[in-house]
Amino acid sequence: MINNLYYNSDDAPSFGLEIDNDLLASALASIYNRDYNPRKEIDPDLFRGVVDRLDEAITEGIADDGPDTAFVDALRHSAEVFAAFKVHKAQNDMAARLLDSNGRLKSFEQWSNDVQSIASHQFGPWLRTEYDTAVIRAHQAAEWQRFERDKDVLPNLRWVPSTSPNPGADHRIYWGTILPVDHPFWSRHRPGDRWNCQCSLESTDEPATGIKREDAVDPRKDGPHKGLGDNPGKSGSLFGQDHPYYPDSCSSCPFAGSLKNRLGMRFSGKKKDCNNCQNVDYHTPDADGFVLKNKYTNGGQVLIHQGADRSKKDHKAIVNIARHFAKSGEIVKVTPAVHFKSEEYQKIYGSLAGTKYERKCPDFQVGDKFYEYEGFEKPWNRRKVKSMISHGLKQSALIVIDNSKGCSDRFTHNMIRARLKAHAKIDEVYVYEKGKVRLLFSHGAYK
């Protein structure tokens, strides 16, 4: 399907990989080892590789026009949404080949050979074509913003002939057409609404020519190609949402969530708007691998790293504690355990360098401060409070301890005093009890 859409052929041109070989190798290993659920999650390495490439395209495309920051941010966000659907399709196409005809897991070597054509197309010629088109679309978007600003002086647009050695006949009939910027013709036909089109527009004060032979075009055959039907200068979208990577409807979206959510979307008549859908945002990792979990009207957010161990018995409690801080307007990140020599450690925990907590991996981050949560192993006794405080302080001076057994504040205060007398550094101590979080000690003051 993509070969026919992009190249009007069953074959793709020969291109090398557009992403790093090591990145692809790491992604293949993650899919094979089932490090994540490819139906519900997005491979962070592949996602970032595609996003970085499209970001480069946007930067190149807008270089000469410099549209406002909010518009560029919209283009970049739409690129992330496009990348999310592209990577989701690629990883699921590859994951579907993990088992042989007898239902047994293939060897990694056999499987990697079997999916080579998928990986090489998705992240080779197809990504190259998407990059080239993104440069054009970003440039057209920035140009359109300028056309709108300057239309009092240059009220018309001229269709400039293609620079391609093999231009399409359907666009040729419009070469030289001059019409006002606001003319509805530009919503029906426009340079760049074909994959690999190299026509362009320019503003002019020359008189309008009228429409040339629009009836010569069959809209069913010669209409805009899928993914390119909208005007990026108006939509703020790098690609249209009718591209084959996108779902046909909200209820068929891989990020729609539970069956209940899908059924609700099907019967609500909700209009698809992927670029402004929280369900997509909730599955899209940022540059450091964090995915949005909760978002509050006061600006607070909970983000969970894709590498966070969701099977850990304390994970649910940590997420609930993160929500407590986020509801107060904080940006809270649930962090993973990673090796201190890794690049990922530097991205997430780099601010701990030079402190006594360097090489540590606290459980979550609130703003620029790291916190550690400590639970206890059954059976319960009051001595567990001392252990939780002591263990927590090895990771951070900001701790939350499990008080589900209702130990008195007086006893916990005494345990804090004992640690302070032993010259422990303690900045804050919270207790987590009955699903609630309560501050018990802060910078020398007992609550």
Side-chain angles (χ1 to χ4, degrees):
M1 178 189 292
I2 300 297
N3 281 343
N4 284 319
L5 177 62
Y6 289 179
Y7 317 115
N8 194 29
S9 169
D10 291 334
D11 300 316
S14 179
F15 283 111
L17 284 176
E18 291 289 305
I19 60 175
D20 184 76
N21 272 300
D22 291 341
L23 184 152
L24 180 58
S26 173
L28 291 177
S30 293
I31 295 171
Y32 187 81
N33 294 328
R34 304 183 187 188
D35 292 341
Y36 63 94
N37 184 340
R39 287 184 293 180
K40 296 182 179 180
E41 299 175 89
I42 300 171
D43 186 282
D45 293 331
L46 288 178
F47 175 77
R48 188 47 49 189
V50 174
V51 168
D52 287 348
R53 200 73 180 103
L54 295 178
D55 273 350
E56 292 171 8
I58 293 170
T59 300
E60 181 179 342
I62 66 174
D64 296 332
D65 289 279
D68 65 79
T69 301
F71 187 78
V72 176
D73 287 345
L75 282 178
R76 295 196 189 282
H77 177 68
S78 75
E80 291 181 344
V81 174
F82 179 84
F85 286 113
K86 174 183 175 69
V87 170
H88 185 270
K89 175 167 177 53
Q91 69 190 28
N92 277 278
D93 286 349
M94 292 189 283
R97 300 192 180 187
L98 282 167
L99 305 181
D100 63 21
S101 58
N102 296 315
R104 292 190 293 264
L105 181 66
K106 297 176 183 176
S107 69
F108 180 77
E109 182 179 7
Q110 180 188 347
W111 173 75
S112 58
N113 286 334
D114 290 347
V115 301
Q116 185 60 40
S117 62
I118 298 173
S120 62
H121 277 77
Q122 276 282 11
F123 306 110
W126 294 358
L127 183 53
R128 177 66 198 204
T129 299
E130 290 152 6
Y131 171 88
D132 291 340
T133 304
V135 172
I136 294 170
R137 294 266 293 178
H139 180 67
Q140 290 174 336
E143 269 193 329
W144 194 269
Q145 297 280 299
R146 177 166 51 80
F147 294 156
E148 293 280 2
R149 289 195 303 267
D150 297 346
K151 64 184 179 183
D152 288 342
V153 179
L154 299 169
N156 296 329
L157 299 177
R158 177 193 288 112
W159 193 309
V160 179
S162 174
T163 59
S164 170
N166 300 298
D170 53 333
H171 274 183
R172 188 188 295 270
I173 63 173
Y174 299 130
W175 293 358
T177 297
I178 300 175
L179 292 169
V181 172
D182 296 326
H183 197 286
F185 172 85
W186 301 120
S187 297
R188 299 191 298 272
H189 307 288
R190 193 183 60 262
D193 65 3
R194 309 284 192 277
W195 289 93
N196 304 302
C197 171
Q198 295 180 34
C199 298
S200 60
L201 291 173
E202 64 181 8
S203 54
T204 180
D205 58 359
E206 293 181 25
T209 62
I211 301 172
K212 299 180 178 181
R213 298 180 59 203
E214 186 174 14
D215 60 353
V217 173
D218 182 348
R220 293 168 298 179
K221 178 181 177 183
D222 299 318
H225 286 178
K226 287 184 179 296
L228 304 178
D230 64 338
N231 181 341
K234 293 182 176 180
S235 67
S237 183
L238 201 59
F239 298 103
Q241 295 177 29
D242 60 342
H243 189 284
Y245 293 154
Y246 289 78
D248 293 331
S249 64
C250 294
S251 60
S252 63
C253 177
F255 308 131
S258 66
L259 177 60
K260 181 179 179 180
N261 285 347
R262 293 175 186 276
L263 290 174
M265 291 174 180
R266 175 173 295 178
F267 294 112
S268 69
K270 180 183 177 183
K271 185 179 179 181
K272 185 176 76 170
D273 185 8
C274 302
N275 289 340
N276 295 296
C277 179
Q278 284 194 347
N279 287 327
V280 179
D281 292 341
Y282 289 156
H283 290 81
T284 306
D286 65 15
D288 295 330
F290 288 93
V291 177
L292 184 65
K293 175 69 174 177
N294 300 103
K295 191 175 185 179
Y296 300 96
T297 55
N298 61 2
Q301 295 181 13
V302 175
L303 300 103
I304 301 179
H305 196 275
Q306 286 198 314
D309 185 0
R310 290 165 173 77
S311 65
K312 188 170 70 170
K313 67 182 182 68
D314 292 339
H315 179 74
K316 184 176 180 180
I318 292 169
V319 173
N320 285 338
I321 294 165
R323 290 192 181 108
H324 164 82
F325 287 100
K327 287 175 182 176
S328 300
E330 299 283 359
I331 304 296
V332 188
K333 297 179 177 181
V334 178
T335 49
V338 294
H339 195 278
F340 73 92
K341 289 185 178 179
S342 68
E343 181 180 344
E344 204 165 24
Y345 186 91
Q346 297 307 315
K347 284 183 179 180
I348 300 168
Y349 302 107
S351 62
L352 297 179
T355 73
K356 66 179 290 186
Y357 305 108
E358 186 174 3
R359 303 189 179 193
K360 303 295 185 182
C361 296
D363 288 321
F364 62 98
Q365 183 179 13
V366 181
D368 60 355
K369 300 188 295 186
F370 287 97
Y371 286 75
E372 177 72 5
Y373 171 70
E374 284 294 329
F376 60 86
E377 296 290 340
K378 296 180 180 179
W380 162 258
N381 61 63
R382 293 201 305 175
R383 290 192 299 275
K384 298 293 176 76
V385 173
K386 178 181 178 181
S387 296
M388 288 188 285
I389 293 174
S390 297
H391 291 161
L393 293 176
K394 292 178 181 178
Q395 298 288 329
S396 174
L398 307 157
I399 62 173
V400 183
I401 62 172
D402 182 355
N403 193 39
S404 56
K405 293 299 182 180
C407 189
S408 71
D409 289 356
R410 185 175 184 178
F411 182 83
T412 306
H413 284 160
N414 287 337
M415 295 297 99
I416 294 171
R417 288 189 183 95
R419 295 301 301 151
L420 288 171
K421 286 181 180 179
H423 306 293
K425 176 176 171 54
I426 309 177
D427 291 339
E428 294 175 6
V429 178
Y430 289 81
V431 290
Y432 177 61
E433 52 195 9
K434 299 179 181 178
K436 304 291 184 181
V437 180
R438 182 166 57 89
L439 182 62
L440 199 63
F441 174 85
S442 178
H443 301 280
Y446 296 90
K447 305 296 182 178

